[in-house]
Amino acid sequence: MIPYGRQSISEADIQAVVEVLKSDWLTQGPAVERFEQTVAHYCGADHAVAVNSATSALHIACLAAGLAPGDILWTSPNTFVASANCALYCGATVDFVDIDPRTYNMSVERLEEKLEQALHSGKLPKVVIPVHFAGQSCEMEAIADLAKRYGFRVIEDASHAIGGRYKGEPVGNCRYSDMTVFSFHPVKIITTGEGGMVMTNNLKTHENLMRLRSHGITRNPSMMTEESHGPWYYQQIELGFNYRMTDIQAALGVSQITKINEFVARRHRLAQRYNELLQDLPLTLPWQHPDAHSAFHLYVIRLHDRIDKSHHVVFEELRQQGIMVNLHYIPVHTHPYYRALGYHDGDFPEAERHYREAITLPLYPDLTEGGQNKVVVALRDVLGCNSACAGRYHD
Ligand SMILES: *Cc1c(COP(=O)(O)O)cnc(C)c1O
C-alpha cells in the first residue's frame, strides 16, 4: 500500500524528542521559542508564534486581524475546511472566490471582479485568505495591490507551502501579507505530529497572537489595568485559548526543519519524474507559475474528459491496486454545513470542475523510485495505456 503522503522521521528526530522527554520542560520550555526563531529565520519573518495546529493558527490570526461579528472573510473553495471555518469561529461570515483553472489557486481576476461588486453593495471583506494549493504560492503581489486598494487584511494559508518560494523569496516572509500560517501535520512538508505557526512582521500582531494562544493572559505590567500584586501576578485582559505547542513537538520541529530543503528538493525530483513518465497520458499535469517555486506538498493530476472510465472508477481502481490516491479538495461550499449557510452547486464552477477531475498521486520524500514506478504502472493500466496509449486517445 502506498499512501498519498507521509512523514519522514530520522534517528536524529527521535533523539531530539527523547532529550526533551528527559528534560525539565515538556511544555512552556525553551524548545518552543527555539522552533519559532528557527522558522522565523528560515522564512525571513520578524516573528513566529507556534501553536497546536494550523486550524488554531488560522483562528488566532483572524482574531489578531480584528475579524469580528458582522465582518466578512473570503477564501478559496479549493481548500481544507479549516481555511473557511476560522471566519465562523470569530462570528464573521465567509464567502469564496473561484479558482484559476491553471494553478487551482484563488483567481486574481475573479477576486478583483468580486471586490468591485462588493464595493458597490457595501460588502467588502475584512480579511482574505489565499491558500497556496499543493505548495504553489498564490499571486501575492497582485493580491497585496488589491488589499491596499480595497482595504482588507491578508492571511496566507501556507499549510502546504513551507519551503516554497515566491518571486525568489521564501513563503512566510509576509512581504505581501499581514500574516502567514503553516501546518505541521504529518502529511505536510515538515511535521511536529500536530502543530501550526503564524508568521508576522508586525510587533503588535505578534503580542496579540502570543496572548490569544494562552488564555488572553499577560504578564507584561504595561498591559495591566493596575499595579502588579506581586511576583505571582498576571492578568487576563481578553478571551484567549490554550492553543500552545508542547516542547516535545517543538523539538521535533527544530530537528525536522534542518532537512526542509532536502525534502522539497526530493519532492521536486519525484514531481519531475512523474511529469516525464505521465506526459503521454490524457491528463493535465501540475502547471507551475513562473513566479512560484512550489514546495510540492501535493502532485495533483486532472483526468481529461475523453477518458472512457469515470473519475470515480479510475480512483477506485487505483485504490484497489494499493495506490492510496486522494482528492484535494471537496469544494468547501458543497459540504452540508456550508450548503445550510446558503451555498449551492454551481456557485464556484472552476472549483467544482476541479473536484470532478482531480486525483492526488502519492508524493513524499521517502517515496522510492520503485514505489513511484508502481504508481505509474497502476495508472497506465487503469487508463488502458500500459504498453503505450497506442492511439487510444486523440486530442
Ligand atoms: C492541513 C491544512 C489545514 C489545517 O492544518 P492542521 O494543522 O491540521 O490544523 C489548513 N489549511 C490547509 C490548506 C491545510 O492543508
Side-chain angles (χ1 to χ4, degrees):
M1 203 194 74
I2 301 178
Y4 85 90
R6 65 159 289 153
Q7 69 278 12
S8 172
I9 299 291
S10 68
E11 231 8 84
D13 291 336
I14 294 167
Q15 273 318 306
V17 170
V18 168
E19 265 168 50
V20 170
L21 289 171
K22 292 176 175 171
S23 79
D24 291 334
W25 304 95
L26 300 189
T27 190
Q28 297 179 280
V32 171
E33 204 177 320
R34 197 176 311 135
F35 185 38
E36 289 169 342
Q37 284 173 359
T38 308
V39 179
H41 182 257
Y42 177 77
C43 295
D46 290 344
H47 309 285
V49 178
V51 290
N52 57 5
S53 70
T55 303
S56 305
L58 287 163
H59 183 191
I60 62 173
C62 286
L63 290 172
L67 194 72
D71 291 333
I72 302 168
L73 178 148
W74 291 359
T75 189
S76 169
N78 183 33
T79 186
F80 186 55
V81 292
S83 317
N85 288 344
C86 55
L88 307 179
Y89 298 155
C90 299
T93 59
V94 66
D95 201 352
F96 303 92
V97 179
D98 207 358
I99 61 171
D100 180 301
R102 289 188 306 176
T103 60
Y104 319 143
N105 278 332
M106 178 186 283
S107 159
V108 173
E109 288 73 34
R110 294 292 87 74
L111 175 60
E112 188 165 4
E113 277 171 19
K114 197 173 171 108
L115 285 164
E116 203 46 43
Q117 288 165 7
L119 179 65
H120 296 297
S121 59
K123 288 185 167 177
L124 282 170
K126 172 105 157 244
V127 172
V128 173
I129 301 191
V131 181
H132 303 322
F133 180 77
Q136 173 163 240
S137 176
C138 296
E139 293 167 62
M140 292 311 301
E141 193 170 18
I143 292 171
D145 285 345
L146 292 172
K148 239 178 263 155
R149 183 134 52 97
Y150 292 92
F152 57 85
R153 302 295 198 91
V154 178
I155 300 169
E156 298 172 64
D157 184 344
S159 291
H160 300 180
I162 190 170
R165 301 175 79 81
Y166 173 69
K167 289 189 182 258
E169 295 180 359
V171 169
N173 70 358
C174 302
R175 179 181 295 284
Y176 301 104
S177 63
D178 297 280
M179 287 169 265
T180 301
V181 166
F182 294 133
S183 171
F184 307 121
H185 182 279
V187 296
K188 308 289 166 75
I189 306 294
I190 61 168
T191 190
T192 60
E194 297 279 1
M197 198 174 274
V198 189
M199 318 304 296
T200 183
N201 293 328
N202 184 294
L203 182 62
K204 195 99 203 110
T205 301
H206 178 238
E207 286 170 357
N208 286 339
L209 292 166
M210 294 289 276
R211 249 195 343 269
L212 288 163
R213 168 176 76 176
S214 199
H215 308 282
I217 283 171
T218 184
R219 291 174 186 279
N220 178 353
S222 74
M223 303 285 307
M224 293 181 186
T225 56
E226 59 180 296
E227 195 81 1
S228 171
H229 298 179
W232 65 85
Y233 196 61
Y234 57 83
Q235 280 190 343
Q236 183 189 342
I237 60 172
E238 66 187 321
L239 188 62
F241 308 89
N242 179 354
Y243 283 169
R244 293 187 303 260
M245 175 180 277
T246 66
D247 279 50
I248 305 166
Q249 294 166 301
L252 179 54
V254 171
S255 181
Q256 283 265 303
I257 203 170
T258 62
K259 288 174 297 185
I260 189 168
N261 292 339
E262 207 181 297
F263 286 164
V264 171
R266 174 70 183 160
R267 287 174 175 279
H268 270 265
R269 279 199 301 280
L270 290 166
Q272 188 53 42
R273 208 161 168 271
Y274 270 138
N275 289 344
E276 286 156 15
L277 295 170
L278 303 176
Q279 60 176 332
D280 60 319
L281 300 188
L283 305 169
T284 302
L285 304 180
W287 184 79
Q288 298 299 292
H289 193 289
D291 288 340
H293 181 75
S294 180
F296 260 114
H297 165 52
L298 302 174
Y299 189 91
V300 176
I301 59 170
R302 286 196 18 185
L303 305 184
H304 290 181
D305 52 15
R306 63 182 186 276
I307 291 171
D308 49 18
K309 284 179 183 167
S310 73
H311 175 251
H312 189 109
V313 167
V314 171
F315 193 100
E316 281 205 314
E317 289 186 0
L318 286 167
R319 284 249 174 132
Q320 277 158 14
Q321 296 203 33
I323 313 300
M324 293 294 115
V325 289
N326 213 322
L327 212 177
H328 297 92
Y329 281 98
I330 304 161
V332 176
H333 67 284
T334 67
H335 283 285
Y337 188 85
Y338 281 88
R339 285 182 193 274
L341 297 178
Y343 292 102
H344 305 98
D345 288 337
D347 286 346
F348 304 99
E350 285 296 342
E352 292 168 29
R353 184 170 153 228
H354 179 79
Y355 177 56
R356 289 193 298 269
E357 298 180 354
I359 296 181
T360 303
L361 300 184
L363 182 65
Y364 48 93
D366 291 353
L367 178 65
T368 62
E369 294 197 352
Q372 187 178 34
N373 291 344
K374 282 192 192 142
V375 177
V376 172
V377 167
L379 183 58
R380 299 188 77 92
D381 177 44
V382 168
L383 296 179
C385 291
N386 235 336
S387 46
C389 273
R392 193 182 167 90
Y393 299 104
H394 301 282
D395 280 312

